[in-house]
Amino acid sequence: MVSLPPSLQKQVSVMSMNLSAKLDELQRGDRQLETTVALCEIRTQLQELTKSVESCQSEVSEVKRDMVAIKHELDTVQQVKEEIEELREYVDRLEEHSHRRKLRLLEQGLTLFLSYAILAAVLGMLQFGYNTGVINAPEVNIENFMKDVYKDRYGEDISDDYVKRLYSVAVSIFAIGGMLGGFSGGIIANRFGRKGGLLLNNVLGIVGGCLMGFTKMAHSYEMLFFGRFIIGVNCGLNTSLVPMYISEIAPLNLRGGLGTVNQLAVTVGLLVSQVLGIEQILGTDEGWPVLLLLAICPAILQLLLLPVCPESPRYLLITKQWEEEARKALRRLRASNQVEEDIEEMRAEERAQQAESRISMTELICSPTLRAPLIIGVVMQLSQQLSGINAVFYYSTNLYTSSGLTEESAKFATIGIGSIMVVMTLVSIPLMDRTGRRTLHLYGLGGMFIFSIFITISFLIKEFFGYVQEMIDWMSYLSVVSTLFFVVFFAVGPGSIPWMITAELFSQGPRPAAMSIAVLVNWIANFVVGIGFPSMKTSLENYTFLPFSAFLAIFWIFTYKQVPETKNKTFEEILALFRHGNDRSSLRDSRLYGCVCSWIRAIFRRTRSTGEITAPASPATLSEQRCLTMGNSSS
């Protein structure tokens, strides 16, 4: 029995009392009331009582309906709870599956064909290293050629200052071409592919090498400038395309070491140019055009070797949607038919960045999610160029002669720099995937900062004690040793890591645009250092390296505070770091949070629209859409 509401009970009691009073009055006859009037009043009271009872019944019905609705809501909440538990179990299984997949990816090794593909690709970076250093050793020979051309044209001698300016143009116009090539890298990579872009780029390498090689025959230093510009475009494209290609074909556990091969090729190119540039080989008035012409060799060699290599599987699968071609490429690169783990990892990356697919540079710069990795990539490139290393590469011979060494000794000291670079880059290859990118970069910047101070100290002591011959000799060697260690620490970190980490920080969609921007910044800084260092050396004299010391300190602090570790992380996991504010919480928690939020929102959105709960047919479907995008829809 459902009890009456208190208000109704009170009303019935009052009416009952009134009726009793009326009946008593009729029985006593105390007051001569007409029986008819009394009965009318009783009838009225009974009608009111009937209405109250009917109202009470209506309220009881509403209470019953509310109770049924509450029970339905409780059933709904219980159902949601069960579905959340089901989703949690699925996420756990998915996480376990992803973990096993990552372990299998980490077990992949270096195959013969992968080694061949890496070798063919890094010839582009060897080209970059060769042309960066080739202009250094024959500086005097090139300046003499410019003097002869000017005198034959105008019948008068050219001033030494003007010759220096012309030579600095020959040095720095290479960087201008590099800016153009680097900026175009993303467009070329998306239009022709990574491998296709590298093959087309070799045409520029051959044209630029021929222009430089036939400069003396044409008796025109403008031809040298144009050749350096064309070869700069070629090298700019290489610095964008080669790291991109290698990072996309390398297994997860070897990505760091193989990425360092980029820098190894650069250092080998530098060393080869320095060795060939000595007077005993091609560093003569007759030999320097041949030295510059040899830049066509890496381009020709790559044209012969690269066609055998496959296109980047990520480009084939994610950009072109050619899954079968991507599988064929992976089977060749991994020397195995078991490539499902790689395909799954690429698919996960594709789902994680579908909203960013084929992103333009403007969209990249404006994207809040991608702004942090873009800033890191740009600053990492600046840390390479504004460290002062190109001042050493371009003008090391001049630096050593001003420190007191003979010109011949200065050239051999420059070769020593190149040799140390090669050795230390080889040492850093196994360290890259063992120690981590961030740690090595911090070591490299810190060591360069210390020895840039020592270089400045050696210049100052030479000035103060220049009258003592023994002190001059001692300080000359101190300058050489400090420069060598400066280069050692550059090879450990800033030499290779900026190229690699820029490619690692971005998924397939924004990667070409990000590489274009980062490489453009690198070449702009390269140009500024190349053309500005002679003037800075003249103005600051013995304090020339202090601005570089200040930059190194700033870059060290930035790396320590802002740069995440990318060692053994998939592109999907690296993207997740920046989606969640670069925090260090576990990836599982962030996935689970995003999945549960999306799941609950979807359930209650359907509840509001239909008035009843409808569970999805399969939690796997929603999980694939939500979980593998790491909560993107919940942000």
Side-chain angles (χ1 to χ4, degrees), residues 75-348:
D75 292 340
T76 300
V77 171
Q78 181 63 29
Q79 189 174 357
V80 170
K81 182 180 178 182
E82 291 172 359
E83 289 170 346
I84 289 175
E85 288 300 322
E86 184 182 358
L87 177 63
R88 187 187 297 274
E89 291 174 5
Y90 179 78
V91 170
D92 289 338
R93 292 197 302 271
L94 178 65
E95 185 68 22
E96 183 180 353
H97 173 73
S98 299
H99 181 66
R100 288 198 302 269
R101 184 193 75 194
K102 185 175 178 180
L103 288 178
R104 288 193 293 269
L105 289 172
L106 290 172
E107 291 170 358
Q108 293 176 341
L110 184 64
T111 64
L112 182 62
F113 190 72
L114 177 62
S115 303
Y116 174 86
I118 297 291
L119 172 65
V122 297
L123 287 170
M125 296 303 281
L126 187 141
Q127 175 82 290
F128 169 57
Y130 183 86
N131 286 286
T132 299
V134 74
I135 201 74
N136 187 9
E139 176 181 352
V140 175
N141 308 108
I142 293 173
E143 287 179 351
N144 290 334
F145 163 72
M146 290 175 174
K147 288 178 182 178
D148 293 340
V149 171
Y150 189 88
K151 188 168 185 177
D152 290 345
R153 285 182 184 175
Y154 305 107
E156 59 183 31
D157 292 329
I158 189 174
S159 66
D160 289 340
D161 288 342
Y162 191 61
V163 170
K164 291 291 183 186
R165 283 199 293 273
L166 286 177
Y167 178 75
S168 67
V169 170
V171 171
S172 56
I173 201 170
F174 172 72
I176 295 176
M179 292 179 213
L180 179 61
F183 189 74
S184 307
I187 300 171
I188 299 296
N190 279 331
R191 184 175 182 120
F192 300 104
R194 284 58 164 154
K195 170 191 165 184
L198 286 171
L199 286 172
L200 289 174
N201 190 32
N202 288 312
V203 176
L204 293 177
I206 294 172
V207 171
C210 290
L211 286 171
M212 293 189 298
F214 294 113
T215 291
K216 188 171 183 180
M217 187 181 297
H219 207 61
S220 168
Y221 49 73
E222 291 87 359
M223 191 169 170
L224 172 63
F225 298 158
F226 189 54
R228 284 283 289 176
F229 174 78
I230 296 296
I231 206 73
V233 175
N234 167 264
C235 291
L237 283 167
N238 280 326
T239 54
S240 180
L241 295 172
V242 174
M244 201 185 309
Y245 181 72
I246 291 178
S247 71
E248 291 180 7
I249 67 172
L252 177 63
N253 59 320
L254 299 177
R255 205 169 61 212
L258 294 180
T260 309
V261 176
N262 285 318
Q263 183 61 19
L264 178 63
V266 174
T267 58
V268 169
L270 278 166
L271 180 60
V272 169
S273 69
Q274 291 161 353
V275 171
L276 294 178
I278 62 175
E279 290 183 10
Q280 289 82 351
I281 304 180
L282 293 175
T284 61
D285 288 337
E286 293 76 23
W288 69 264
V290 179
L291 182 67
L292 299 181
L293 180 63
L294 289 177
I296 67 173
C297 294
I300 293 174
L301 191 58
Q302 191 175 65
L303 274 176
L304 295 175
L305 297 180
L306 197 60
V308 183
C309 302
E311 181 54 87
S312 159
R314 288 181 185 275
Y315 173 77
L316 293 173
L317 181 66
I318 300 177
T319 305
K320 305 299 288 185
Q321 295 295 312
W322 295 344
E323 183 170 337
E324 191 53 41
E325 285 77 2
R327 289 179 186 276
K328 290 178 182 177
L330 281 169
R331 291 189 190 110
R332 296 178 66 193
L333 291 168
R334 304 290 184 260
S336 171
N337 291 326
Q338 304 301 319
V339 295
E340 289 309 310
E341 287 79 14
D342 293 273
I343 295 293
E344 280 188 49
E345 195 251 333
M346 292 181 204
R347 285 297 188 196

Side-chain angles (χ1 to χ4, degrees), residues 18 55 60 83 205 246 302 317 411 482 541 627:
N18 290 338
S55 175
V60 169
E83 289 170 346
I246 291 178
Q302 191 175 65
L317 181 66
K411 287 186 178 181
S482 299
E541 296 180 346
C627 298

Side-chain angles (χ1 to χ4, degrees), residues 387-442:
S387 64
I389 193 66
N390 272 347
V392 175
F393 288 159
Y394 289 147
Y395 301 104
S396 56
T397 304
N398 186 271
L399 277 173
Y400 288 143
T401 54
S402 65
S403 298
L405 293 178
T406 64
E407 188 170 326
E408 186 174 358
S409 299
K411 287 186 178 181
F412 282 106
T414 300
I415 293 174
I417 288 177
S419 303
I420 291 290
M421 280 278 289
V422 173
V423 172
M424 289 309 301
T425 305
L426 283 170
V427 170
S428 69
I429 289 177
L431 292 177
M432 193 63 63
D433 285 310
R434 186 176 305 170
T435 307
R437 287 73 152 141
R438 178 176 177 271
T439 303
L440 281 182
H441 200 64
L442 287 171

Side-chain angles (χ1 to χ4, degrees), residues 389 392 400 412-421 424 451 455 477-491:
I389 193 66
V392 175
Y400 288 143
F412 282 106
T414 300
I415 293 174
I417 288 177
S419 303
I420 291 290
M421 280 278 289
M424 289 309 301
F451 285 100
I455 292 173
Y477 289 113
L478 175 62
S479 176
V480 172
V481 170
S482 299
T483 306
L484 286 176
F485 275 102
F486 184 82
V487 170
V488 163
F489 281 100
F490 174 80

